[in-house]
């Protein structure tokens, strides 16, 4: 009699049996235990196991890691046809394939069991991003130029998610970093001892450039100008970050500063070709400001934190004053950038000599070597650049005193520390700890913190200093670093734990005053109240963090730029800073679905997106985006560009972020993009390839196109089982290159054509991405379930498991008739039993 375990396995095999090309009949389900007995156990006995692999005593009902390892090795050897050995009994091709399938299903079940949390969220700490947002809100710190988590180790990911509890390990190294971060945060919040006064600085016609340009500028301009040549994301910038050498220490305090720049755009009418100088001369030149940390030094080059603070178009005609108002932290200086400058100015000197020798003045034509050619071209040539001859800085402006950070830290009047009574100290500590812990603090916790304060006073610290030390201790407490687990008698989260879960789900940070008050009053654990609070939070600016973080987790946008595109072939990716723009497009697109409560179907079917001019140029619709507002994003309907609409623009699958993150930075692969679609859109991932063996390389000799190669690849019956699902999806997206530009051939030299047609399992055919989208929408229930499960993973901090399926279906069922409206789906998640327990 078959055991119940083997019986269930055989049922799974029947339901999931593959259809293999080239075989006379389908592979039949097989008993994996019987297969191992027939073909493996003769050699792999318990007494004398070949290769030290004992299959005789292998228990397929055990999910132990050793069992999983042995099972994976068996699958790998069967896949590679390495086993059984040539002198042993050989299974038929149908038996081999069925055994691989059955064993793979068994291994998948084992892995699910060994990683299961039994439908519960395990105790988990704040992720790096959650820590950053929490200390920002707790201490009212501007994070534009400040990141206390910079030295933290990267969080472990689980299926792209950075907040799954059982993967967020704690280590001694991380504890040390928490101590450092607490010190940095409290020091920053304490700020200056007295109200800072407004100061002014003026820098005029004394602008030494970076080392590579210094000699040329001293000879050409006597250092009277600060000149910007290339965009700030070149590999080796020369004139990419215009720093003020005389402003060595940066601004004295955190604040908002007024920056006036006297600037002019030079040589947009250059006689050199765009191929030589690698810049779009039709575009007005754009001046940006990015911060530079004087403590790091190395101002002419890229720094770890350098967001674009402001940007403006610069006039060609004459010098003009441009006013910016930007935040600057203590020790930071404004650095000026040519946001759409030349790509590879270093190489332009040699290119000009090679391509435009006859245009050069006679006296510099015989110049040799990059050093001398650089001096000659800057002195005598007409390189496009931005020229600055004066800068004025004034600030900080409109200083509030005490600062918001000081009020948040001290909870009241900062002055008069010598008059702090014991009860006032206790109240301040209790108030700050209660906000940091996201719940009322216990009497025991308060007593311990007050005792710590007293010990610091006894050590000779002032009241301010002792209080700051106590705040640091609070920021290192498990009650701050870990999420609450308190529940009611019926197993539901307490009001404070629920407020915490809701807030971190929809804002990536601690509960605000409204949520905290509802929790304090015990009014939150009510479906209608939860629904109202969900709508309020989704309508707030703070929910932009949810959109950004969820898309990083779900669509793996966090990986965008981790495999940088080739700068020679994909210069536009760098010259337009498209990594940031691509993410912005996808975030605005998903934000819009929430704001309009639009159907999830629009993830695929939408004809619109949100673009700025640089993305519009990438997509070939820049005629609709005037250069005067190049950095501004706005909604664009691709119905205005039928060619791009036909190519598949509109919706997620036509967005450069998706097309770039599903490529490798150099080339594309239908397999990679197909796998991405199966995992992230349809929620039906294929089994992983063999773990510890070389990739299978079928004989693809004679293949002339990528499609030919994959067709030959699929002639291998083992490969076909997965590739029949993967390849058609990937083919539909091959009309886009590694950064999302449309194309008709893989490269001009080879001229290999691109085919975007295919046939899905089940026989549905399509020609191009638009027809594929229509086929995918027919599977809208799968897509809705995928999005819902990803939202739940993001919200709960745990993986969804098979036992969660009924609860997920209960969330989706009432929304099916309306094609799953996005905002109401999120509301249904928040009011569900899964979310509240």
């Amino acid at each position: 009699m078959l055991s119940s375990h083997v019986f269930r396995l055989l049922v799974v095999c029947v339901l999931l049996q593959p259809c293999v090309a080239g075989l006379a009949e389908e592979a039949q389900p097989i008993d994996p235990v019987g297969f191992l007995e027939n073909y493996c156990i003769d050699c792999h006995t318990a007494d004398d196991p070949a290769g030290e692999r004992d299959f005789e005593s292998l228990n397929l009902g055990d999910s132990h890691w050793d069992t999983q390892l042995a099972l994976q090795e068996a699958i790998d050897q069967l896949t590679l046809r390495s086993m059984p050995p040539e002198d042993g009994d050989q299974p038929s091709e149908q038996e081999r394939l069925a055994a691989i399938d059955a064993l793979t299903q068994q291994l998948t079940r084992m892995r699910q069991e060994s990683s299961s949390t039994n439908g519960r969220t395990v105790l988990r700490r704040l992720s790096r991003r959650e820590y950053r947002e929490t200390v920002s809100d707790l201490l009212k710190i501007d994070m534009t130029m400040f990141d206390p988590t910079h030295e933290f180790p990267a969080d472990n990911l689980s299926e792209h998610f950075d907040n799954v509890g059982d993967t967020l390990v704690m280590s001694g190294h991380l504890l040390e970093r928490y101590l450092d971060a607490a010190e940095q945060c409290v020091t920053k919040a304490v700020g200056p001892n007295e109200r800072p006064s407004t100061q002014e600085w003026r820098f005029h016609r004394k602008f030494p450039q970076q080392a590579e340009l210094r000699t040329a500028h001293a000879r050409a301009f006597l250092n009277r100008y600060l000149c910007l040549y290339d965009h700030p994301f070149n590999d080796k910038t020369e004139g990419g970050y215009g720093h003020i050498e005389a402003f060595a220490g940066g601004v004295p305090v955190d604040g908002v500063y007024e920056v006036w720049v006297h600037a002019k755009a030079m040589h947009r009418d250059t006689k050199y070709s765009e191929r030589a100088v690698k810049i779009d001369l039709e575009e007005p030149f754009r001046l940006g400001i990015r911060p530079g940390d004087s403590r790091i030094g190395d101002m002419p080059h890229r720094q770890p934190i350098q967001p674009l603070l402001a940007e403006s178009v610069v006039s060609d005609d004459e010098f003009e004053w441009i006013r910016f108002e930007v935040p600057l932290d203590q020790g930071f200086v404004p650095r000026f950038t040519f946001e759409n400058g030349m790509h590879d100015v270093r190489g332009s000197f040699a290119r000009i000599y090679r391509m435009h020798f006859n245009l050069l003045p006679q006296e510099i034509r015989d110049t040799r070597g990059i050093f001398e050619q650089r001096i000659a071209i800057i002195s005598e040539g007409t390189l496009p650049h931005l020229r600055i001859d004066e800068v004025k800085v004034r600030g900080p402006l409109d200083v509030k005193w005490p600062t918001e950070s000081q009020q948040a830290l001290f909870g009241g009047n900062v002055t008069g520390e010598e008059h702090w009574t014991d009860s006032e100290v206790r109240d301040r500590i209790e108030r700050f700890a209660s906000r940091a812990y996201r719940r009322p603090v216990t009497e025991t916790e308060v007593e311990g913190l007050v005792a710590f304060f007293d010990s610091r006073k006894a050590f000779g610290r002032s009241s301010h200093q002792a209080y700051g030390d106590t705040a640091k201790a609070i920021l290192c407490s498990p009650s701050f670093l870990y999420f609450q687990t308190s529940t009611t008698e019926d197993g539901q989260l307490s009001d404070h734990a629920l407020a915490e879960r809701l807030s971190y789900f929809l804002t990536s940070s601690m509960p605000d005053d409204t949520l905290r008050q509802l929790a304090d009053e015990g009014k939150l654990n009510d479906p209608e109240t939860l629904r109202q609070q969900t709508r309020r939070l989704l309508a707030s600016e703070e929910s932009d963090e949810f959109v950004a973080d969820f898309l990083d987790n779900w669509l793996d946008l966090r990986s965008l730029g981790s495999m940088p595109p080739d700068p020679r072939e994909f210069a536009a990716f760098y010259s337009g800073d498209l990594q940031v723009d691509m993410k912005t497009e996808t975030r605005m697109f998903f934000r819009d679905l929430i704001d309009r409560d639009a159907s999830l179907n629009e993830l695929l079917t939408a004809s619109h997106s949100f673009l700025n001019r640089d993305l519009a140029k990438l997509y070939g619709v820049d005629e609709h985006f005037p250069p005067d507002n190049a950095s501004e994003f706005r909604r664009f309907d691709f119905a205005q560009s039928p060619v791009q609409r036909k190519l598949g623009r509109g919706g997620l699958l036509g967005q450069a972020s998706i097309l770039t993150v599903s490529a490798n930075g150099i080339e594309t692969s239908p397999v990679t993009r197909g796998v991405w679609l199966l995992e992230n859109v349809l929620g039906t991932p294929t089994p992983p390839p063999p773990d510890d063996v070389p990739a299978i390389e079928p004989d693809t000799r004679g293949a002339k196109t990528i499609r030919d190669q994959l067709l030959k690849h699929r002639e291998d019956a083992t490969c076909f089982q997965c590739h029949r699902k993967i390849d058609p999806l990937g083919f539909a997206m091959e009309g886009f290159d590694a950064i999302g530009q449309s194309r008709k051939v893989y490269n001009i030299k080879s001229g290999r054509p691109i085919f975007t047609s295919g046939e899905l399992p089940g026989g549905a055919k399509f020609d191009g991405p638009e027809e594929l989208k229509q086929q995918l929408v027919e599977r809208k229930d799968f897509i809705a379930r995928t999005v819902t499960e990803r939202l739940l993973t993001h919200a709960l901090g745990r993986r969804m498991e098979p036992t969660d399926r009924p609860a997920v279906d209960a969330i989706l069922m009432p929304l099916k008739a309306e094609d799953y409206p996005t905002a109401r789906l999120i509301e249904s998640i928040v009011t569900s039993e899964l979310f509240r327990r």
Side-chain angles (χ1 to χ4, degrees), residues 248-386:
V251 298
V253 294
D254 297 358
V256 175
Y257 289 80
E258 182 182 59
V259 180
W260 287 87
V261 185
H262 203 225
K264 178 183 178 180
M266 300 293 295
H267 303 311
R268 278 186 65 212
D269 59 350
T270 181
K271 58 191 176 183
Y272 306 136
S273 67
E274 290 189 14
R275 285 182 59 206
V277 293
K278 293 193 175 182
I279 188 173
D280 186 349
L281 296 170
E282 298 297 320
E283 294 283 322
F285 292 173
R286 306 198 306 262
L287 173 68
I289 295 183
R290 294 181 182 268
D293 189 344
S294 63
R295 293 163 296 186
I296 295 177
D298 196 23
M299 290 298 178
H301 300 104
R302 197 179 308 185
Q303 292 191 353
I305 302 176
Q306 52 170 46
L308 179 62
L309 302 178
E311 182 183 281
S312 176
V313 170
V314 182
S315 171
D316 296 326
D317 302 325
E318 57 186 14
F319 278 102
E320 64 175 5
W321 282 105
I322 304 172
R323 180 184 180 276
F324 301 99
E325 197 169 287
V326 297
L328 289 171
D329 281 7
Q330 179 183 4
F332 279 77
V333 298
R335 294 187 300 165
F336 306 103
T337 54
F338 189 174
E339 286 298 312
N340 57 338
M342 288 191 288
H343 185 72
D344 182 32
V345 68
R346 179 185 291 252
S348 69
F349 304 115
R351 287 194 298 271
I352 289 171
Y353 265 85
R354 186 176 67 253
M355 299 169 65
H356 300 298
F357 182 79
N358 293 332
L359 298 179
L360 299 175
Q362 188 68 44
E363 59 271 21
I364 67 171
R365 290 186 180 182
D366 293 332
T367 304
R368 297 288 182 269
I370 186 173
F371 180 76
E372 293 297 330
Q373 288 178 350
R374 181 190 289 116
I375 295 173
I377 294 296
I378 287 176
S379 300
E380 303 293 337
T382 57
L383 277 181
H385 67 278
L386 292 176

Side-chain angles (χ1 to χ4, degrees), residues 314-561:
V314 182
S315 171
D316 296 326
D317 302 325
E318 57 186 14
F319 278 102
E320 64 175 5
W321 282 105
I322 304 172
R323 180 184 180 276
F324 301 99
E325 197 169 287
V326 297
L328 289 171
D329 281 7
Q330 179 183 4
F332 279 77
V333 298
R335 294 187 300 165
F336 306 103
T337 54
F338 189 174
E339 286 298 312
N340 57 338
M342 288 191 288
H343 185 72
D344 182 32
V345 68
R346 179 185 291 252
S348 69
F349 304 115
R351 287 194 298 271
I352 289 171
Y353 265 85
R354 186 176 67 253
M355 299 169 65
H356 300 298
F357 182 79
N358 293 332
L359 298 179
L360 299 175
Q362 188 68 44
E363 59 271 21
I364 67 171
R365 290 186 180 182
D366 293 332
T367 304
R368 297 288 182 269
I370 186 173
F371 180 76
E372 293 297 330
Q373 288 178 350
R374 181 190 289 116
I375 295 173
I377 294 296
I378 287 176
S379 300
E380 303 293 337
T382 57
L383 277 181
H385 67 278
L386 292 176
R387 182 174 294 183
I388 298 169
D389 74 343
E390 187 171 355
V391 176
K392 294 185 289 187
V393 181
R394 178 176 171 270
L397 308 175
D398 303 324
V399 176
K400 294 181 181 179
W401 192 257
T403 67
E404 287 187 349
S405 292
Q406 289 170 338
Q407 294 180 59
L409 175 62
F410 293 101
N413 185 16
V414 181
T415 59
E417 63 172 306
E418 65 276 8
H419 303 299
W420 284 7
T421 65
D422 289 346
S423 114
E424 187 174 8
V425 168
R426 183 185 183 88
D427 287 346
R428 289 175 187 256
I429 290 175
E430 182 174 3
R431 189 181 304 114
F432 182 73
S434 180
R435 290 183 62 238
Y437 296 169
R438 286 94 65 187
R439 57 166 175 79
V441 290
T442 65
E443 185 68 21
T444 301
E445 288 171 329
V446 176
E447 292 294 341
L449 292 169
V450 170
F452 181 81
F453 173 88
D454 292 338
S455 70
R456 300 306 291 163
K457 286 274 290 184
F459 194 70
R461 306 280 279 174
S462 69
S463 292
H464 267 186
Q465 293 169 331
Y467 182 83
D469 291 343
T470 306
K472 296 170 194 174
I474 289 170
L475 294 183
C476 293
S477 166
S479 295
F480 172 72
L481 296 173
Y482 282 83
F483 285 89
Q484 301 174 50
T485 58
S486 56
T487 57
T488 61
E489 290 183 359
D490 59 0
Q492 296 206 338
L493 289 176
S494 68
D495 280 77
H496 288 99
L498 188 57
E500 183 180 64
R501 176 172 286 181
L502 177 60
S503 183
Y504 279 95
F505 176 34
L506 296 183
T507 71
S508 297
S509 188
M510 59 186 286
D512 62 9
D513 292 341
T514 301
L515 277 182
R516 180 58 190 269
Q517 182 176 346
L518 286 169
D520 287 345
E521 295 172 355
K523 296 179 178 179
L524 188 59
N525 213 329
D526 167 73
E528 186 54 36
T529 302
L530 282 173
R531 197 178 302 277
Q532 292 172 1
Q533 291 306 305
T534 300
R535 291 171 182 170
R536 179 181 69 85
L537 292 176
L538 284 177
S540 69
E541 289 185 3
E542 286 73 20
S543 65
D544 287 344
E545 293 298 328
F546 152 66
V547 171
D549 294 335
F550 173 61
L551 294 178
D552 277 357
N553 280 341
W554 169 33
L555 302 176
D556 195 26
L557 296 193
R558 183 184 295 105
S559 297
L560 191 63

